[in-house]
Amino acid sequence: MFDASSSFLDAALIFSYITKDRQMRELYFRRYIMTHSGISAVWSCTIGSIFFFCSLFAPHDVLSFECGGGKKPLFFFPDSSVSRFTPPGFEKKLYHQLKQPLEEIGYCITRLTTTSLADTAVAGELVMVLSMTSSITERREVRTGAVDSAGGADSETVTFCDTLTQMVVSLLRVDEWSSRQREPVAEKPLLTLGYTPEEMLTFEAVLMRKIVENLRTQYICNLRIQSIPEGATIRSKSGLEGTTPLEWIIPVGRLSITGELEGFEPIRRRIDLPSPGMHTYVIEMSRRRFYHSRFFIPTVVFGVSSAACFAVERVYYKKYQELGEVDRENNPDLFEHNFTIAKNCERAAGVTLGLACASLTFCLLF
């Protein structure tokens, strides 16, 4: 029997999948199991199918960035060594401290998940890998003992072991993610910083500042876009927008843009920014002609159709005129057939010619 409260619970659970609210999803899922323990198999199958398709079509967590437009994703991954050397909560604290400074230079930091590794849309983005290394070095000191009566002194060599712990921050592309790839990347890190547990606050401040500063100097571009003529509206897929001449501070990588200017043909470009520094990109806009319009092809089709209909009309009208009095009396069907085809083609030629003229007008306007 249909239960209104049960139906509401079903709708709430589906909504939680669509809005990606995990806490609400878990809460309603528990209540769903308790409430639907005795429902029919058909209704259970239906609800299960809805959950399946909602999970398929709902956006993945990797794409649900909480940053504004124009930000490039930067994935955050501290390995197990970080949690071994640092106090509890260090990773989470650093993650939240980096959010705003990285947004200011064009990055949107988000945690790396298995979903993001399988997402081809972010295959070329960077992963910031945090790891810690510990090494033991030996140093020897010669200590001089007491002086004897003869003026000599005893000496001994003492060996000391020093432990050096360092934070290593490396950058790796998502599509290159593997334990085999992480090792050579760690040899050329973004930065290394000595770790001293007794100076934790200083360590956190210096680490955050160095990460942002090294990214700014090694992975940030100053892109200047100019157009001929000026005044074109430039938009990027990531949400950046401006009017030329413009200047954007963005991370290295590829940037897809579109440009529009009234009276000129829209453009689409893909800009490669392989290295940091100043980059200037000049776009030459082409003046829009009537044959650039999306209505040009319909104009040609209607024009050709009108000409074809007119030609067929002339052929059948000529056949009609060539029929004599004898044909009209002995074969009236042929007389009517030729006349009907000629008349219909004449009408079709007039209609398609009118459509061609209207489409041509749209070509000039749009």
Side-chain angles (χ1 to χ4, degrees), residues 229-300:
E230 296 181 351
T233 300
I234 306 297
R235 298 182 179 89
S236 72
K237 287 187 176 180
S238 59
L240 293 171
E241 182 175 346
T243 303
T244 58
L246 58 82
E247 193 170 315
W248 288 338
I249 306 297
I250 59 176
V252 297
R254 293 176 178 176
L255 180 68
S256 297
I257 63 171
T258 59
E260 296 179 354
L261 181 61
E262 187 176 357
F264 291 83
E265 186 69 9
I267 58 98
R268 298 178 186 274
R269 296 288 187 273
R270 189 174 181 179
I271 303 176
D272 289 325
L273 302 170
S275 60
M278 177 69 72
H279 298 266
T280 301
Y281 193 81
V282 181
I283 300 171
E284 187 170 353
M285 307 292 291
S286 301
R287 188 169 292 278
R288 179 181 294 171
R289 307 297 180 183
F290 73 94
Y291 48 79
H292 290 145
S293 174
R294 68 183 67 180
F295 294 99
F296 179 70
I297 293 179
T299 301
V300 174

Side-chain angles (χ1 to χ4, degrees), residues 31-332:
R31 293 180 61 187
Y32 177 85
I33 295 299
M34 296 174 62
T35 308
H36 292 73
S37 57
I39 60 176
S40 65
V42 176
W43 184 244
S44 299
C45 184
T46 303
I47 294 298
S49 301
I50 293 174
F51 292 159
F52 174 74
F53 284 107
C54 285
S55 62
L56 283 180
F57 292 103
H60 297 296
D61 291 338
V62 66
L63 298 179
S64 59
F65 304 125
E66 298 177 356
C67 305
K71 306 302 179 186
K72 194 176 184 68
L74 176 64
F75 294 98
F76 180 81
F77 180 80
D79 66 12
S80 57
S81 63
V82 178
S83 59
R84 288 202 305 268
F85 287 96
T86 58
F90 168 78
E91 302 169 8
K92 185 177 181 180
K93 184 178 180 181
L94 179 64
Y95 175 81
H96 289 289
Q97 286 178 339
L98 285 171
K99 267 185 173 295
Q100 184 176 353
L102 290 180
E103 284 183 16
E104 293 175 356
I105 61 174
Y107 280 110
C108 172
I109 189 170
T110 186
R111 293 189 180 277
L112 183 69
T113 62
T114 54
T115 307
S116 58
L117 291 175
D119 190 353
T120 57
V122 294
E125 307 301 346
L126 295 175
V127 182
M128 184 169 64
V129 183
L130 279 68
S131 60
M132 300 195 74
T133 61
S134 180
S135 59
I136 300 176
T137 57
E138 292 185 357
R139 57 184 178 89
R140 296 180 179 180
E141 293 184 2
V142 177
R143 292 187 175 182
T144 304
V147 180
D148 57 17
S149 59
D154 296 332
S155 63
E156 61 176 345
T157 302
V158 181
T159 302
F160 295 91
C161 293
D162 296 329
T163 302
L164 176 64
T165 305
Q166 288 184 321
M167 170 71 76
V168 181
V169 182
S170 309
L171 293 179
L172 180 69
R173 282 167 52 109
V174 173
D175 55 0
E176 297 175 349
W177 181 262
S178 67
S179 57
R180 186 173 56 184
Q181 288 286 350
R182 291 206 298 269
E183 294 178 2
V185 170
E187 296 177 359
K188 298 179 180 179
L190 178 69
L191 65 94
T192 57
L193 182 65
Y195 173 69
T196 306
E198 294 77 13
E199 301 177 357
M200 194 63 193
L201 293 178
T202 304
F203 173 77
E204 291 177 355
V206 174
L207 177 63
M208 184 184 69
R209 181 172 55 82
K210 281 186 170 290
I211 288 175
V212 176
E213 189 61 30
N214 287 13
L215 282 172
R216 188 193 302 275
T217 56
Q218 301 180 34
Y219 290 89
I220 297 298
C221 302
N222 194 322
L223 176 63
R224 179 175 296 171
I225 301 179
Q226 301 173 348
S227 67
I228 305 174
E230 296 181 351
T233 300
I234 306 297
R235 298 182 179 89
S236 72
K237 287 187 176 180
S238 59
L240 293 171
E241 182 175 346
T243 303
T244 58
L246 58 82
E247 193 170 315
W248 288 338
I249 306 297
I250 59 176
V252 297
R254 293 176 178 176
L255 180 68
S256 297
I257 63 171
T258 59
E260 296 179 354
L261 181 61
E262 187 176 357
F264 291 83
E265 186 69 9
I267 58 98
R268 298 178 186 274
R269 296 288 187 273
R270 189 174 181 179
I271 303 176
D272 289 325
L273 302 170
S275 60
M278 177 69 72
H279 298 266
T280 301
Y281 193 81
V282 181
I283 300 171
E284 187 170 353
M285 307 292 291
S286 301
R287 188 169 292 278
R288 179 181 294 171
R289 307 297 180 183
F290 73 94
Y291 48 79
H292 290 145
S293 174
R294 68 183 67 180
F295 294 99
F296 179 70
I297 293 179
T299 301
V300 174
V301 172
F302 288 135
V304 172
S305 300
S306 179
C309 291
F310 181 76
V312 173
E313 182 266 340
R314 297 312 300 170
V315 170
Y316 278 89
Y317 189 70
K318 184 178 180 181
K319 289 182 180 181
Y320 167 75
Q321 288 181 326
E322 290 175 352
L323 293 175
E325 295 293 336
V326 178
D327 295 321
R328 294 182 183 183
E329 293 178 358
N330 297 334
N331 196 1

